[in-house]
Structure formats: structure tokens, C-alpha cells
Amino acid sequence: MTLREEILKLEQTLMYYRKKDFEDLLAEDFCEFGSSGRIYDKEIQLSSVTEHGCDEIQFIIADFEVIKLADYLVQARYKTENKQTGKRSLRSSLWRFKNNQWRLFFHQGTLTT
């Protein structure tokens, strides 16, 4: 599996909104700048997801790319379109490789047309 494929799979895993995935994949120092203008940490995110999450990813992902910033740090950049609402976002995630695992420590979503 390429690095791009691995990070894409991790991003998609989080899009199922399952509590266990968020516990495992979000770093303790996780921070998100949401498209709403709010700032979220791991605790807030864990309180907003359920054990079972959803059955299907609600987003179409486009233009997914991974930029290696260091041996242990990558940035994912991509676009999403919500299948139900049609809202589009530009997304950026920073993933850190530590203790033999990738963990998300920063994410930002920006609404776009």
C-alpha cells in the first residue's frame, strides 16, 4: 500500500464517525478548525460520534493528495462534496507517525463553492 493509499484509507475510516476509530486515530493533542468557525479537540469530537457511526461515507472525495513534510509528518489535501446537502469543502489534515501508527493531530475544513 502506498503512503497516499494508507492516508486516504485513514481519512475515509474517520468519515464513518465511529467512536473507536476516533479514539484510535485522533492524537491526544488533536485540533480541528471546523467549517463552522468552531475549534474542536479530541474530547469534543469523541462526544459527537456514536459507537456504530454510519453505514456509508457521506462524502465524495476528489483531488486527494499527500505531501510528505518529514519522515514522520504528512499533509493530506482534498475536496469533499456532501452527498446529501451538496456542500463542498476544501480539507487539510496533518498526520503524525509515532509509535508505529499514523494519528491525526490537525484538520481544517473550509466551505467552498
Side-chain angles (χ1 to χ4, degrees), residues 31-66:
C31 176
E32 176 177 347
F33 294 165
S35 59
S36 65
R38 294 185 182 144
I39 298 174
Y40 304 92
D41 62 13
K42 184 174 183 175
E43 183 178 325
I44 293 169
Q45 290 291 38
L46 286 173
S47 70
S48 70
V49 295
T50 64
E51 296 297 325
H52 298 94
C54 56
D55 295 330
E56 180 183 328
I57 294 174
Q58 298 300 310
F59 301 98
I60 298 167
I61 299 170
D63 300 332
F64 190 87
E65 62 179 335
V66 172

mmCIF file of all heavy atoms in Angstrom, residues 31-66:
data_model
loop_
_atom_site.group_PDB
_atom_site.id
_atom_site.type_symbol
_atom_site.label_atom_id
_atom_site.label_comp_id
_atom_site.label_asym_id
_atom_site.label_seq_id
_atom_site.Cartn_x
_atom_site.Cartn_y
_atom_site.Cartn_z
ATOM 1 N N CYS A 31 -6.595 18.888 17.095
ATOM 2 C CA CYS A 31 -7.303 20.161 16.984
ATOM 3 C C CYS A 31 -7.906 20.245 15.582
ATOM 4 O O CYS A 31 -7.267 19.881 14.604
ATOM 5 C CB CYS A 31 -6.326 21.317 17.195
ATOM 6 S SG CYS A 31 -7.056 22.951 16.958
ATOM 7 N N GLU A 32 -9.147 20.702 15.522
ATOM 8 C CA GLU A 32 -9.796 20.919 14.228
ATOM 9 C C GLU A 32 -10.358 22.316 14.170
ATOM 10 O O GLU A 32 -11.014 22.774 15.111
ATOM 11 C CB GLU A 32 -10.939 19.925 14.008
ATOM 12 C CG GLU A 32 -11.686 20.204 12.704
ATOM 13 C CD GLU A 32 -12.794 19.202 12.406
ATOM 14 O OE1 GLU A 32 -12.856 18.144 13.045
ATOM 15 O OE2 GLU A 32 -13.609 19.508 11.501
ATOM 16 N N PHE A 33 -10.094 22.997 13.067
ATOM 17 C CA PHE A 33 -10.749 24.256 12.758
ATOM 18 C C PHE A 33 -11.889 23.895 11.810
ATOM 19 O O PHE A 33 -11.667 23.594 10.646
ATOM 20 C CB PHE A 33 -9.805 25.242 12.075
ATOM 21 C CG PHE A 33 -8.669 25.735 12.939
ATOM 22 C CD1 PHE A 33 -7.590 26.374 12.364
ATOM 23 C CD2 PHE A 33 -8.665 25.573 14.315
ATOM 24 C CE1 PHE A 33 -6.544 26.855 13.139
ATOM 25 C CE2 PHE A 33 -7.633 26.032 15.099
ATOM 26 C CZ PHE A 33 -6.562 26.680 14.508
ATOM 27 N N GLY A 34 -13.098 23.883 12.316
ATOM 28 C CA GLY A 34 -14.240 23.453 11.527
ATOM 29 C C GLY A 34 -14.714 24.513 10.551
ATOM 30 O O GLY A 34 -14.447 25.708 10.721
ATOM 31 N N SER A 35 -15.466 24.070 9.562
ATOM 32 C CA SER A 35 -16.003 25.000 8.569
ATOM 33 C C SER A 35 -17.011 25.953 9.199
ATOM 34 O O SER A 35 -17.321 26.998 8.640
ATOM 35 C CB SER A 35 -16.628 24.233 7.404
ATOM 36 O OG SER A 35 -17.662 23.394 7.869
ATOM 37 N N SER A 36 -17.497 25.602 10.391
ATOM 38 C CA SER A 36 -18.430 26.460 11.115
ATOM 39 C C SER A 36 -17.715 27.627 11.804
ATOM 40 O O SER A 36 -18.358 28.543 12.299
ATOM 41 C CB SER A 36 -19.152 25.644 12.186
ATOM 42 O OG SER A 36 -18.210 25.197 13.158
ATOM 43 N N GLY A 37 -16.382 27.554 11.845
ATOM 44 C CA GLY A 37 -15.616 28.560 12.565
ATOM 45 C C GLY A 37 -15.297 28.138 13.989
ATOM 46 O O GLY A 37 -14.576 28.830 14.698
ATOM 47 N N ARG A 38 -15.812 26.994 14.406
ATOM 48 C CA ARG A 38 -15.546 26.474 15.745
ATOM 49 C C ARG A 38 -14.237 25.694 15.779
ATOM 50 O O ARG A 38 -13.781 25.186 14.762
ATOM 51 C CB ARG A 38 -16.674 25.564 16.199
ATOM 52 C CG ARG A 38 -17.980 26.293 16.381
ATOM 53 C CD ARG A 38 -19.019 25.355 16.946
ATOM 54 N NE ARG A 38 -20.293 26.041 17.071
ATOM 55 C CZ ARG A 38 -21.454 25.470 16.858
ATOM 56 N NH1 ARG A 38 -21.524 24.212 16.530
ATOM 57 N NH2 ARG A 38 -22.557 26.172 16.992
ATOM 58 N N ILE A 39 -13.679 25.590 16.979
ATOM 59 C CA ILE A 39 -12.468 24.805 17.203
ATOM 60 C C ILE A 39 -12.853 23.589 18.035
ATOM 61 O O ILE A 39 -13.544 23.706 19.042
ATOM 62 C CB ILE A 39 -11.385 25.639 17.913
ATOM 63 C CG1 ILE A 39 -10.994 26.834 17.032
ATOM 64 C CG2 ILE A 39 -10.169 24.773 18.233
ATOM 65 C CD1 ILE A 39 -10.042 27.806 17.689
ATOM 66 N N TYR A 40 -12.403 22.414 17.594
ATOM 67 C CA TYR A 40 -12.733 21.159 18.252
ATOM 68 C C TYR A 40 -11.455 20.464 18.721
ATOM 69 O O TYR A 40 -10.451 20.484 18.015
ATOM 70 C CB TYR A 40 -13.463 20.214 17.287
ATOM 71 C CG TYR A 40 -14.711 20.809 16.679
ATOM 72 C CD1 TYR A 40 -14.658 21.484 15.463
ATOM 73 C CD2 TYR A 40 -15.937 20.691 17.311
ATOM 74 C CE1 TYR A 40 -15.802 22.030 14.898
ATOM 75 C CE2 TYR A 40 -17.094 21.232 16.760
ATOM 76 C CZ TYR A 40 -17.017 21.896 15.551
ATOM 77 O OH TYR A 40 -18.146 22.436 14.994
ATOM 78 N N ASP A 41 -11.532 19.805 19.890
ATOM 79 C CA ASP A 41 -10.425 18.970 20.340
ATOM 80 C C ASP A 41 -10.900 17.511 20.344
ATOM 81 O O ASP A 41 -12.039 17.211 19.973
ATOM 82 C CB ASP A 41 -9.905 19.412 21.716
ATOM 83 C CG ASP A 41 -10.934 19.314 22.833
ATOM 84 O OD1 ASP A 41 -12.000 18.680 22.645
ATOM 85 O OD2 ASP A 41 -10.667 19.862 23.905
ATOM 86 N N LYS A 42 -10.048 16.611 20.775
ATOM 87 C CA LYS A 42 -10.399 15.189 20.746
ATOM 88 C C LYS A 42 -11.610 14.900 21.617
ATOM 89 O O LYS A 42 -12.509 14.157 21.215
ATOM 90 C CB LYS A 42 -9.202 14.340 21.192
ATOM 91 C CG LYS A 42 -9.460 12.856 21.090
ATOM 92 C CD LYS A 42 -8.225 12.034 21.397
ATOM 93 C CE LYS A 42 -8.499 10.549 21.218
ATOM 94 N NZ LYS A 42 -7.288 9.742 21.382
ATOM 95 N N GLU A 43 -11.669 15.480 22.784
ATOM 96 C CA GLU A 43 -12.773 15.239 23.706
ATOM 97 C C GLU A 43 -14.110 15.645 23.083
ATOM 98 O O GLU A 43 -15.102 14.914 23.167
ATOM 99 C CB GLU A 43 -12.545 16.001 25.005
ATOM 100 C CG GLU A 43 -13.593 15.754 26.055
ATOM 101 C CD GLU A 43 -13.288 16.506 27.343
ATOM 102 O OE1 GLU A 43 -12.107 16.661 27.697
ATOM 103 O OE2 GLU A 43 -14.266 16.947 27.980
ATOM 104 N N ILE A 44 -14.136 16.812 22.457
ATOM 105 C CA ILE A 44 -15.368 17.280 21.810
ATOM 106 C C ILE A 44 -15.757 16.340 20.671
ATOM 107 O O ILE A 44 -16.923 15.981 20.523
ATOM 108 C CB ILE A 44 -15.217 18.733 21.303
ATOM 109 C CG1 ILE A 44 -15.086 19.695 22.484
ATOM 110 C CG2 ILE A 44 -16.389 19.127 20.404
ATOM 111 C CD1 ILE A 44 -14.682 21.099 22.094
ATOM 112 N N GLN A 45 -14.780 15.930 19.891
ATOM 113 C CA GLN A 45 -15.071 15.020 18.773
ATOM 114 C C GLN A 45 -15.610 13.684 19.272
ATOM 115 O O GLN A 45 -16.549 13.136 18.712
ATOM 116 C CB GLN A 45 -13.831 14.803 17.900
ATOM 117 C CG GLN A 45 -13.446 16.013 17.097
ATOM 118 C CD GLN A 45 -14.435 16.348 15.994
ATOM 119 O OE1 GLN A 45 -15.639 16.222 16.140
ATOM 120 N NE2 GLN A 45 -13.925 16.802 14.881
ATOM 121 N N LEU A 46 -15.016 13.157 20.331
ATOM 122 C CA LEU A 46 -15.485 11.876 20.868
ATOM 123 C C LEU A 46 -16.926 11.974 21.368
ATOM 124 O O LEU A 46 -17.687 11.013 21.264
ATOM 125 C CB LEU A 46 -14.560 11.384 21.980
ATOM 126 C CG LEU A 46 -13.209 10.846 21.520
ATOM 127 C CD1 LEU A 46 -12.319 10.549 22.727
ATOM 128 C CD2 LEU A 46 -13.379 9.609 20.651
ATOM 129 N N SER A 47 -17.289 13.124 21.882
ATOM 130 C CA SER A 47 -18.653 13.286 22.388
ATOM 131 C C SER A 47 -19.672 13.448 21.254
ATOM 132 O O SER A 47 -20.874 13.347 21.497
ATOM 133 C CB SER A 47 -18.737 14.477 23.338
ATOM 134 O OG SER A 47 -18.591 15.694 22.632
ATOM 135 N N SER A 48 -19.202 13.674 20.034
ATOM 136 C CA SER A 48 -20.126 13.916 18.922
ATOM 137 C C SER A 48 -20.327 12.697 18.021
ATOM 138 O O SER A 48 -21.092 12.758 17.068
ATOM 139 C CB SER A 48 -19.634 15.097 18.078
ATOM 140 O OG SER A 48 -18.462 14.726 17.371
ATOM 141 N N VAL A 49 -19.632 11.588 18.321
ATOM 142 C CA VAL A 49 -19.758 10.383 17.495
ATOM 143 C C VAL A 49 -20.401 9.267 18.302
ATOM 144 O O VAL A 49 -20.475 9.328 19.525
ATOM 145 C CB VAL A 49 -18.388 9.931 16.935
ATOM 146 C CG1 VAL A 49 -17.832 10.954 15.969
ATOM 147 C CG2 VAL A 49 -17.393 9.647 18.048
ATOM 148 N N THR A 50 -20.859 8.234 17.599
ATOM 149 C CA THR A 50 -21.514 7.110 18.259
ATOM 150 C C THR A 50 -20.664 5.851 18.114
ATOM 151 O O THR A 50 -19.718 5.813 17.323
ATOM 152 C CB THR A 50 -22.898 6.854 17.652
ATOM 153 O OG1 THR A 50 -22.739 6.476 16.284
ATOM 154 C CG2 THR A 50 -23.784 8.093 17.747
ATOM 155 N N GLU A 51 -21.030 4.830 18.851
ATOM 156 C CA GLU A 51 -20.314 3.552 18.775
ATOM 157 C C GLU A 51 -20.356 2.978 17.361
ATOM 158 O O GLU A 51 -19.367 2.479 16.856
ATOM 159 C CB GLU A 51 -20.916 2.533 19.759
ATOM 160 C CG GLU A 51 -20.773 2.916 21.213
ATOM 161 C CD GLU A 51 -19.325 3.002 21.686
ATOM 162 O OE1 GLU A 51 -18.481 2.214 21.218
ATOM 163 O OE2 GLU A 51 -19.047 3.879 22.527
ATOM 164 N N HIS A 52 -21.515 3.044 16.715
ATOM 165 C CA HIS A 52 -21.695 2.410 15.411
ATOM 166 C C HIS A 52 -21.480 3.344 14.234
ATOM 167 O O HIS A 52 -21.341 2.883 13.108
ATOM 168 C CB HIS A 52 -23.085 1.774 15.338
ATOM 169 C CG HIS A 52 -23.270 0.703 16.361
ATOM 170 N ND1 HIS A 52 -23.840 0.945 17.581
ATOM 171 C CD2 HIS A 52 -22.914 -0.594 16.361
ATOM 172 C CE1 HIS A 52 -23.854 -0.172 18.295
ATOM 173 N NE2 HIS A 52 -23.293 -1.128 17.579
ATOM 174 N N GLY A 53 -21.487 4.646 14.470
ATOM 175 C CA GLY A 53 -21.285 5.594 13.380
ATOM 176 C C GLY A 53 -22.346 5.471 12.306
ATOM 177 O O GLY A 53 -23.506 5.227 12.583
ATOM 178 N N CYS A 54 -21.928 5.611 11.061
ATOM 179 C CA CYS A 54 -22.859 5.477 9.938
ATOM 180 C C CYS A 54 -22.413 4.336 9.036
ATOM 181 O O CYS A 54 -21.264 3.899 9.081
ATOM 182 C CB CYS A 54 -22.978 6.798 9.166
ATOM 183 S SG CYS A 54 -21.415 7.438 8.565
ATOM 184 N N ASP A 55 -23.319 3.848 8.216
ATOM 185 C CA ASP A 55 -23.039 2.689 7.363
ATOM 186 C C ASP A 55 -22.287 3.048 6.089
ATOM 187 O O ASP A 55 -21.659 2.196 5.476
ATOM 188 C CB ASP A 55 -24.347 1.993 6.977
ATOM 189 C CG ASP A 55 -25.044 1.386 8.178
ATOM 190 O OD1 ASP A 55 -24.358 0.996 9.142
ATOM 191 O OD2 ASP A 55 -26.280 1.315 8.155
ATOM 192 N N GLU A 56 -22.387 4.301 5.702
ATOM 193 C CA GLU A 56 -21.811 4.729 4.423
ATOM 194 C C GLU A 56 -21.177 6.104 4.578
ATOM 195 O O GLU A 56 -21.720 6.958 5.280
ATOM 196 C CB GLU A 56 -22.934 4.791 3.385
ATOM 197 C CG GLU A 56 -22.490 5.210 2.009
ATOM 198 C CD GLU A 56 -23.673 5.317 1.040
ATOM 199 O OE1 GLU A 56 -24.645 4.568 1.182
ATOM 200 O OE2 GLU A 56 -23.606 6.193 0.161
ATOM 201 N N ILE A 57 -20.059 6.300 3.923
ATOM 202 C CA ILE A 57 -19.421 7.619 3.917
ATOM 203 C C ILE A 57 -20.335 8.593 3.182
ATOM 204 O O ILE A 57 -20.827 8.292 2.094
ATOM 205 C CB ILE A 57 -18.032 7.550 3.245
ATOM 206 C CG1 ILE A 57 -17.087 6.689 4.075
ATOM 207 C CG2 ILE A 57 -17.454 8.949 3.047
ATOM 208 C CD1 ILE A 57 -15.738 6.435 3.423
ATOM 209 N N GLN A 58 -20.561 9.751 3.788
ATOM 210 C CA GLN A 58 -21.494 10.734 3.235
ATOM 211 C C GLN A 58 -20.821 11.730 2.290
ATOM 212 O O GLN A 58 -21.433 12.724 1.911
ATOM 213 C CB GLN A 58 -22.188 11.497 4.366
ATOM 214 C CG GLN A 58 -23.019 10.607 5.257
ATOM 215 C CD GLN A 58 -24.118 9.894 4.477
ATOM 216 O OE1 GLN A 58 -24.864 10.502 3.731
ATOM 217 N NE2 GLN A 58 -24.202 8.586 4.629
ATOM 218 N N PHE A 59 -19.568 11.470 1.933
ATOM 219 C CA PHE A 59 -18.812 12.418 1.115
ATOM 220 C C PHE A 59 -18.253 11.783 -0.141
ATOM 221 O O PHE A 59 -17.847 10.626 -0.137
ATOM 222 C CB PHE A 59 -17.634 12.993 1.913
ATOM 223 C CG PHE A 59 -18.039 13.707 3.162
ATOM 224 C CD1 PHE A 59 -17.981 13.076 4.389
ATOM 225 C CD2 PHE A 59 -18.494 15.013 3.113
ATOM 226 C CE1 PHE A 59 -18.361 13.722 5.550
ATOM 227 C CE2 PHE A 59 -18.880 15.677 4.264
ATOM 228 C CZ PHE A 59 -18.810 15.030 5.493
ATOM 229 N N ILE A 60 -18.218 12.580 -1.191
ATOM 230 C CA ILE A 60 -17.452 12.252 -2.385
ATOM 231 C C ILE A 60 -16.104 12.946 -2.208
ATOM 232 O O ILE A 60 -16.057 14.150 -1.926
ATOM 233 C CB ILE A 60 -18.157 12.765 -3.655
ATOM 234 C CG1 ILE A 60 -19.519 12.095 -3.808
ATOM 235 C CG2 ILE A 60 -17.273 12.558 -4.884
ATOM 236 C CD1 ILE A 60 -20.419 12.753 -4.831
ATOM 237 N N ILE A 61 -15.026 12.197 -2.336
ATOM 238 C CA ILE A 61 -13.675 12.735 -2.152
ATOM 239 C C ILE A 61 -13.047 12.944 -3.524
ATOM 240 O O ILE A 61 -13.102 12.059 -4.380
ATOM 241 C CB ILE A 61 -12.815 11.768 -1.322
ATOM 242 C CG1 ILE A 61 -13.436 11.569 0.064
ATOM 243 C CG2 ILE A 61 -11.383 12.272 -1.214
ATOM 244 C CD1 ILE A 61 -12.801 10.447 0.863
ATOM 245 N N ALA A 62 -12.436 14.109 -3.725
ATOM 246 C CA ALA A 62 -11.790 14.419 -5.007
ATOM 247 C C ALA A 62 -10.422 15.049 -4.767
ATOM 248 O O ALA A 62 -10.173 15.635 -3.710
ATOM 249 C CB ALA A 62 -12.662 15.370 -5.818
ATOM 250 N N ASP A 63 -9.564 14.923 -5.767
ATOM 251 C CA ASP A 63 -8.248 15.575 -5.783
ATOM 252 C C ASP A 63 -7.434 15.278 -4.527
ATOM 253 O O ASP A 63 -6.770 16.157 -3.981
ATOM 254 C CB ASP A 63 -8.397 17.088 -5.972
ATOM 255 C CG ASP A 63 -9.105 17.445 -7.269
ATOM 256 O OD1 ASP A 63 -9.011 16.657 -8.238
ATOM 257 O OD2 ASP A 63 -9.754 18.496 -7.316
ATOM 258 N N PHE A 64 -7.467 14.035 -4.070
ATOM 259 C CA PHE A 64 -6.760 13.657 -2.844
ATOM 260 C C PHE A 64 -5.260 13.575 -3.106
ATOM 261 O O PHE A 64 -4.824 12.910 -4.037
ATOM 262 C CB PHE A 64 -7.265 12.309 -2.328
ATOM 263 C CG PHE A 64 -6.766 11.983 -0.952
ATOM 264 C CD1 PHE A 64 -7.463 12.422 0.163
ATOM 265 C CD2 PHE A 64 -5.601 11.261 -0.766
ATOM 266 C CE1 PHE A 64 -7.010 12.137 1.443
ATOM 267 C CE2 PHE A 64 -5.140 10.973 0.513
ATOM 268 C CZ PHE A 64 -5.845 11.411 1.608
ATOM 269 N N GLU A 65 -4.498 14.283 -2.298
ATOM 270 C CA GLU A 65 -3.037 14.232 -2.414
ATOM 271 C C GLU A 65 -2.414 14.231 -1.026
ATOM 272 O O GLU A 65 -3.001 14.723 -0.068
ATOM 273 C CB GLU A 65 -2.499 15.403 -3.236
ATOM 274 C CG GLU A 65 -2.766 16.766 -2.655
ATOM 275 C CD GLU A 65 -2.202 17.896 -3.498
ATOM 276 O OE1 GLU A 65 -1.232 17.685 -4.249
ATOM 277 O OE2 GLU A 65 -2.732 19.011 -3.399
ATOM 278 N N VAL A 66 -1.236 13.639 -0.949
ATOM 279 C CA VAL A 66 -0.482 13.585 0.302
ATOM 280 C C VAL A 66 0.886 14.201 0.052
ATOM 281 O O VAL A 66 1.575 13.834 -0.895
ATOM 282 C CB VAL A 66 -0.332 12.135 0.809
ATOM 283 C CG1 VAL A 66 0.608 12.055 1.992
ATOM 284 C CG2 VAL A 66 -1.694 11.575 1.191
#
